Amino acid sequence: TITGVRVIVPSRDVTACKRLMMDFKCEAEVVDESDLISQKHFAKLTNVFGSRNVWVLQQLLKVQGVLTSKSDAVLILDSDTVLLRPRPWFSSAGHQILMPTMEYNKSYYEFLQKLNISELVPKYSFISHHMLMQPKILSHLLDSLDLLKIDAFINYICDNANTDVQSPVCVEYELYGQYLYKTEPKEYFLEQWSNISISRRHLGIILKSKFVKLTLRTFYNSVSFHSWS
């Protein structure tokens, strides 16, 4: 049962986003990202990662979004991804869904290997653009690494990430997914990901067409409108 929706946006967009939620009669809480990651923390990310600061920031916002939730589970959804049809997020036994993907980025696993979370070449990747996360599991994971406090987590990332590459870390999807797969085998079940990536320039046409959405829904569970596609 969905008990609430939160949309996390930059400080400058809070008012505009609230207006959009009202216009579309969408009951969603609009969250200022600086309430989750402070300007001091963002300044450190900028100092270490330069123009890739927001790449790390959006991952940390997801982590903090889960950790600050009072729900038993949180469905993280990237803003460029649209879910096309319902899915069984939990099994009848209470195990959560985990969706293997086909992406491999060596720097992700070099970073996670230092934490003993993942092999350098894992059997699966879990960069699925949306993921169900249980706060109690994520909290336990970070606490066991002594990284539950955001200061410690950001300091560790800044000290251990490979800043010579464009995408140095994946500290939301792969951190949680690899930990769950490797450490908590009784907590998950695997399901087909079935996502299609489409250029963002086609977003308006596709979302306005019932026929196109029906066609996509026949073959895929989700679609991602990537700006770089």
Side-chain angles (χ1 to χ4, degrees):
T1 301
I2 297 176
T3 57
V5 177
R6 288 190 293 171
V7 183
I8 304 171
V9 297
S11 302
R12 66 179 181 272
D13 297 326
V14 170
T15 301
C17 190
K18 286 182 177 179
R19 190 179 303 118
L20 278 173
M21 295 299 108
M22 291 178 62
D23 290 345
F24 287 96
K25 295 181 174 57
C26 180
E27 295 184 8
E29 177 188 359
V30 179
V31 178
D32 185 332
E33 64 179 27
S34 63
D35 291 339
L36 298 176
I37 303 295
S38 70
Q39 290 298 317
K40 179 190 74 172
H41 291 136
F42 183 61
K44 177 155 191 174
L45 295 177
T46 302
N47 184 53
V48 173
F49 295 101
S51 61
R52 295 298 283 171
N53 52 0
V54 292
W55 170 256
V56 182
L57 172 66
Q58 55 93 12
Q59 297 180 37
L60 290 169
L61 289 172
K62 295 172 199 171
V63 171
Q64 288 301 101
V66 173
L67 292 177
T68 57
S69 174
K70 296 179 181 179
S71 299
D72 292 329
V74 179
L75 179 62
I76 295 294
L77 178 66
D78 286 352
S79 60
D80 60 7
T81 296
V82 177
L83 303 183
L84 297 173
R85 55 188 180 189
R87 304 202 67 168
W89 302 106
F90 280 95
S91 70
S92 58
H95 305 153
Q96 76 157 81
I97 193 173
L98 203 56
M99 297 163 286
T101 64
M102 300 176 66
E103 184 173 341
Y104 179 79
N105 186 320
K106 185 179 179 181
S107 62
Y108 293 170
Y109 308 106
E110 289 176 335
F111 179 86
L112 294 176
Q113 191 178 46
K114 295 177 183 178
L115 295 169
N116 197 31
I117 296 297
S118 171
E119 305 297 331
L120 189 57
V121 183
K123 183 176 182 179
Y124 300 117
S125 63
F126 297 103
I127 308 166
S128 47
H129 310 305
H130 65 287
M131 180 177 283
L132 190 77
M133 295 186 185
Q134 298 181 65
K136 65 177 182 180
I137 292 178
L138 182 59
S139 178
H140 173 74
L141 160 60
L142 292 174
D143 192 39
S144 69
L145 299 171
D146 202 22
L147 299 176
L148 185 57
K149 293 183 178 180
I150 190 63
D151 286 307
F153 196 25
I154 289 178
N155 287 337
Y156 185 88
I157 293 170
C158 290
D159 292 342
N160 290 276
N162 181 1
T163 56
D164 294 328
V165 298
Q166 283 290 302
S167 303
V169 294
C170 185
V171 293
E172 13 84 290
Y173 294 140
E174 283 293 41
L175 178 74
Y176 185 86
Q178 295 297 341
Y179 170 78
L180 201 64
Y181 181 76
K182 180 181 179 181
T183 312
E184 303 286 351
K186 295 182 180 180
E187 295 291 339
Y188 69 85
F189 64 95
L190 298 179
E191 279 281 323
Q192 186 177 28
W193 178 37
S194 193
N195 180 82
I196 183 173
S197 179
I198 298 177
S199 174
R200 189 176 294 178
R201 66 177 180 271
H202 301 308
L203 183 147
I205 296 174
I206 291 175
L207 293 186
K208 289 178 182 178
S209 171
K210 291 184 179 180
F211 174 74
V212 174
K213 285 190 291 185
L214 179 61
T215 302
L216 286 174
R217 190 178 298 126
T218 303
F219 299 100
Y220 302 99
N221 289 316
S222 58
V223 54
S224 294
F225 295 97
H226 295 307
S227 58
W228 44 260
S229 178

